[in-house]
Amino acid sequence: MAADSPPDFRLRLRRDSNAVIAWFRDMWTRRWFRWLGYVALAGVLFLALVWVLFARNLPSVDQLRDYEPPLPTMVRDAEGKPVHSYARERRVQLEYSEYPQLLVRAYLAAEDRTFFSHGGIDYPGIVSAIITNLSSSGRPIGASTITQQVAKNLLLTGEVSYRRKIREAILAMRIEDALTKEQILELYLNEIPLGRRSFGVQAASRAYFDKDVDQLQLHEMAFLAILPKAPETYGRARNADKAIARRNFVLDEMYRNDWITAAQRDAAKAMPLGLTDSGNRAIAQVGGYYMEEVRRQLIAEFGETADKGPHSVYAGGLWVRTAYDGKMQAAAANSLRRGLLRYDAGKGWSGPIATIEADDQWASRLASSFIGIDYDGWRIAAVISKSAGAAQIGFADGTTGTLPAGAATLGYRKTGGSAFSAMRPGDLIAVKATGGGSYALKNIPEVSGGFMAESPHSGRIYAMQGGFDVRLSPFNRATQAERQPGSTIKPFVYATALDNGMTPATLIVDGPFCVYQGARFGNKCFRNFGGAGGSGEHTMRWGLEQSRNLMTVKTASQIGMEPIVETIQTMGIGKHEPYLSTALGAGSTTVEKITNAFAMLANHGRELKPRVIDYAQDRRGKVIFPANWRACEGCNKKDWDGRPMPRFAKSGKQLMDPMTAYQVVHMLEGVVQRGTAVRLRDLGVPLFGKTGTTTGPNDVWFVGGTPDVVAGVYIGYDQPRNMGGYAQGGSLAAPIFKQFFDESLADSQPIPFTAPKGVRMVRIDRQSGRRVYGSWPGTDPKASIIWEAFKPESEPRRTIREEEIKPIKTQRRQAAPTQKGKAGRTDSDFLDDRGGII
């Protein structure tokens, strides 16, 4: 039997294998089994086909775990208040816990009641949608869950097709496996498009109600929940009835799910929609040249759009802290505009701002031009049509008005006729309402200019105005316009002289001065402003206070132009050629550069780098600009730890001898007290400054300020041309600074300029420069005895000679006769008659 076992065993194994095959053969002869096999095979093929057509190349849901939506850049002012944003879409990202639960339930009632119980797909809803689509030839409808909407919005396109719906469903199931329900809801509430260029519920809450989500009432929550279906329909005032009906449906659904009581539902239904038209008032959107300069610098640093990097201006979600001071900016804009209008008054209408086609699309053409104005109620209008007595005008919002001929009587400076007769349909003009639908013509000054205010302690730019309005001309004349600085360059000429052995009391001859320029050009003779000749020997201080050209070029000739242009370059004004005319402002610079140079004088010659941006943070709060930024350790402690207050060390290189810088500032105080900027003296605070008027005159300047704020301003045509013989820095530019001071700094505590260590204050006679004993300076700015600043060992020596001890009395000069052929005497004649002292 043992010998027979192996054959029996082999036969049994063969019999079992054949039995399986035989069983299948036997079952295959049965019809129901064959049909079952065909169905299984079809299922496998179907799944393979689905994978090939729909699931293959689907985006990975893993990217949703670290998803960072494109967010706008928010700008804060010097006090940390949000004042502007750079955005093409409204977006605000919140965490799930920051959304009120009642608001979340409103969205669940409107969009996906069974969200927390399904696995990403609503199968009963899909069946209902299929039946509806098969019986209708219109746009296919879906039964998208919130998870499917997240898949569509973040991972797929908005294509309307069954293919997209299938891909959406596959992704929804994968998302449910990868994320929690709360994470999915957070993505949904932050990204769903809700109209008015808003993405996400917080952005929509601001756009429609000007509230944050934690301030919303129940009826407002229900309204926001209806927007995903049709934001452009429900979000418009003309469709209020449809919106209310849909909102009330959501309230009913919330009640049906026991999320609100009947009383809450009924009270919410009784409320109107309450939509706002103003958008988000939480951010002032101050705009203007200042914020355009911030934007320009951010784009240069981080790029404009997401493809330029993770910190781009329009997608990176930056938080930017600036030095922007709203009060100073308003004063800067207002004072510069008023100055431009004062100069331009009486010169007539300068012509249309731009032109468009005056067809039936004029409103959209005007809106798309992005031309606007923000001044004293002025508006930009398009001339639609014109008759003999009036013109019909229209605005970007589609409204219209009337411009009577009698309200446009300004002379047209190009032809001499009236402005009304020169107007043509399609012209864009500035107007102001006069009542009853009528408007009066206003003129945008043809002349322009720039203004900037800066801290002399840190270089932070408080205010910047680069023209009349940035929407009329984006060219920033404060930072981009290269202009001749005129006499505002003279303080740096004299600073170089002070570093080369001269003092504020050094006597310089105010007399004829000529330079031989070779056989081709011959002699070049310099003269004072207005063509006036010399007035004798005077101190350096007097020459700077009265801005005497002859004294400046004589000083420059004596010390050489090479060290002067080196000083000008070191102070960041510009790289100028070593010609004597450079000492009178023949080079070029910008308002930003010359203002910063004056600020460095007030900062005792220490380097300052002008800046509008203090620092920039990424969306998580990390400071990413400037690269060397460091937090102040211990500055924000809640309680005092008994240690000294943290103090910042002085930064920046020492670009000029601090004593030299103070000597120049001290002399520039005299410019305000009795010199070319004397009209600022009645402000009654310590001020220093310098006026400037270029050849032509083409530009007029004033640069100066207090120990805490330094400002610079110029006025001139964009294409330089003569402004008229009466145009001077003291009469046109200085009043702009005065108005700026009155509107923004008048309430500040007066602070005197401080002298650096080593400066010696000595009593001298202001006219002769000699040291004085036995007498003291008075309060009269025209007093003969003053305090003068000297470096050690440079002050006038003691003497026993009586004529050098007593102040010299200046003999009264007789009035110079008026030259024939001239309508009146010049300022220079007036100065000469009185020994140059005013």
Side-chain angles (χ1 to χ4, degrees), residues 352-523:
I353 301 168
T355 58
I356 60 173
E357 290 188 38
D359 54 15
D360 57 353
Q361 299 296 318
W362 62 265
S364 60
R365 296 183 191 278
L366 176 56
S368 61
S369 70
F370 298 105
I371 295 175
I373 192 169
D374 179 22
Y375 176 73
D376 195 28
W378 293 16
R379 301 179 68 183
I380 300 299
V383 179
I384 303 173
S385 61
K386 192 179 78 166
S387 62
Q392 184 186 20
I393 58 175
F395 304 97
D397 59 4
T399 59
T400 60
T402 302
L403 176 66
T409 57
L410 291 173
Y412 186 31
R413 64 184 66 179
K414 294 183 179 179
T415 62
S418 71
F420 185 81
S421 62
M423 288 180 191
R424 298 290 182 270
D427 285 350
L428 300 188
I429 59 176
V431 297
K432 184 177 181 179
T434 56
S438 294
Y439 293 81
L441 179 68
K442 296 297 178 180
N443 183 56
I444 305 297
E446 191 175 3
V447 71
S448 196
F451 186 103
M452 195 186 84
E454 176 184 344
S455 167
H457 307 299
S458 61
R460 301 172 75 216
I461 298 175
Y462 296 131
M464 179 186 296
Q465 187 70 13
F468 200 85
D469 196 293
V470 70
R471 290 176 294 173
L472 297 173
S473 171
F475 181 68
N476 192 337
R477 295 158 187 83
T479 60
Q480 295 175 298
E482 293 280 347
R483 314 293 291 203
Q484 289 188 350
S487 294
T488 60
I489 204 71
K490 290 179 181 177
F492 305 96
V493 176
Y494 288 117
T496 310
L498 293 172
D499 279 338
N500 284 270
M502 300 178 76
T503 75
T506 298
L507 295 176
I508 305 169
V509 176
D510 180 28
F513 185 80
C514 298
V515 177
Y516 181 69
Q517 302 181 107
R520 181 178 178 183
F521 297 103
N523 280 339

Side-chain angles (χ1 to χ4, degrees), residues 262-400:
Q264 288 177 304
R265 178 198 62 187
D266 295 340
K269 282 186 174 183
M271 298 295 292
L273 290 179
L275 307 183
T276 64
D277 296 325
S278 59
N280 186 0
R281 288 194 297 264
I283 300 176
Q285 294 295 113
V286 294
Y289 286 98
Y290 194 104
M291 292 303 159
E292 180 59 23
E293 179 66 16
V294 173
R295 189 185 77 94
R296 185 184 67 80
Q297 293 188 19
L298 288 174
I299 289 176
E301 183 70 25
F302 300 113
E304 184 172 0
T305 53
D307 59 333
K308 300 298 183 181
H311 306 307
S312 63
V313 173
Y314 287 98
L318 301 178
W319 288 89
V320 181
R321 185 68 172 263
T322 69
Y324 178 86
D325 185 297
K327 186 177 181 180
M328 287 194 193
Q329 179 62 35
N334 192 43
S335 59
L336 179 61
R337 287 167 170 173
R338 292 286 180 86
L340 298 177
L341 289 170
R342 280 195 300 269
Y343 172 79
D344 198 68
K347 293 181 171 59
W349 188 50
S350 56
I353 301 168
T355 58
I356 60 173
E357 290 188 38
D359 54 15
D360 57 353
Q361 299 296 318
W362 62 265
S364 60
R365 296 183 191 278
L366 176 56
S368 61
S369 70
F370 298 105
I371 295 175
I373 192 169
D374 179 22
Y375 176 73
D376 195 28
W378 293 16
R379 301 179 68 183
I380 300 299
V383 179
I384 303 173
S385 61
K386 192 179 78 166
S387 62
Q392 184 186 20
I393 58 175
F395 304 97
D397 59 4
T399 59
T400 60

Side-chain angles (χ1 to χ4, degrees), residues 67 94 112 231 297 398 407 419 423 426 483 503 571 587 604 692 705 837:
Y67 176 70
L94 300 181
D112 192 354
Q297 293 188 19
M423 288 180 191
R483 314 293 291 203
T503 75
M571 297 298 285
H604 292 169
I837 306 301

Side-chain angles (χ1 to χ4, degrees), residues 638-718:
K638 183 179 179 180
D639 299 313
W640 183 46
D641 59 2
R643 302 178 64 184
M645 179 186 298
R647 299 187 181 277
F648 293 100
K650 291 183 178 181
S651 60
K653 302 176 182 178
Q654 192 69 50
L655 302 182
M656 181 182 288
D657 185 329
M659 289 187 286
T660 298
Y662 178 75
Q663 285 180 297
V664 175
V665 169
H666 193 54
M667 288 190 290
L668 291 175
E669 288 186 86
V671 174
V672 174
Q673 290 299 309
R674 51 191 165 265
T676 56
V678 70
R679 67 175 59 230
L680 301 179
R681 187 174 66 198
D682 60 2
L683 291 175
V685 298
L687 287 173
F688 81 117
K690 184 70 187 75
T691 59
T693 307
T694 65
T695 302
N698 291 345
D699 299 302
V700 294
W701 290 80
F702 176 79
V703 188
T706 70
D708 289 329
V709 179
V710 175
V713 58
Y714 92 89
I715 297 180
Y717 291 100
D718 287 342

Side-chain angles (χ1 to χ4, degrees), residues 10 48 151-152 212 227 244 256 344 363 498 590 627:
R10 285 195 296 271
K152 180 187 71 174
D212 293 323
L227 292 175
I244 290 175
R256 188 164 71 90
D344 198 68
L498 293 172
T590 66

